[in-house]
Amino acid sequence: MNAEPVGSPGMEEMRERIREAMREHELNMSEITQMSDVSFLHWVESVGRRIAAALGIPLAKLHALFDDMRSIGGNMKDSFRASYRDAYNRSRKIKRTG
């Protein structure tokens, strides 16, 4: 009653086929992700070139401007965190030990 039909793959063979399909899927997804990353970087670069051309400034100067803005944002975030943590610690009724 539970005998496998003649010519059908065994359970081990079925598992191996599924494992192989999963490996192939993971490989394909990895390749798609890599292509997407490269495509996105090309798109960002082309947008940067168009903005630089529209503003009439060199692309390197635009990159420096974006890097400066990123640094300013990071410094603002760090400063806010520190001031929030200090205010929080000052307002606690029971101080932490250790």
Side-chain angles (χ1 to χ4, degrees):
M1 180 157 213
N2 290 333
E4 294 179 9
V6 177
S8 69
M11 287 301 290
E12 274 306 310
E13 187 178 346
M14 292 280 286
R15 285 188 194 121
E16 189 55 39
R17 286 181 185 178
I18 292 171
R19 285 185 195 114
E20 184 59 34
M22 290 173 67
R23 274 188 234 116
E24 187 175 323
H25 175 72
E26 287 296 320
L27 179 63
N28 290 340
M29 292 305 292
S30 175
E31 289 176 3
I32 289 170
T33 301
Q34 290 173 353
M35 290 187 307
S36 295
D37 290 346
V38 169
S39 177
F40 178 72
L41 291 175
H42 285 302
W43 177 80
V44 168
E45 186 67 23
S46 72
V47 168
R49 284 192 184 114
R50 285 184 275 156
I51 291 172
L55 296 176
I57 60 174
L59 185 59
K61 189 171 186 176
L62 184 66
H63 284 184
L65 175 67
F66 286 145
D67 191 42
D68 289 346
M69 302 269 291
R70 185 180 55 82
S71 295
I72 290 168
N75 291 341
M76 285 174 42
K77 180 184 72 168
D78 293 342
S79 177
F80 175 77
R81 267 191 196 154
S83 64
Y84 177 83
R85 186 176 47 244
D86 291 344
Y88 175 80
N89 287 335
R90 281 193 308 270
S91 67
R92 286 184 63 105
K93 302 276 187 228
I94 301 171
K95 302 297 180 192
R96 288 187 180 179
T97 57

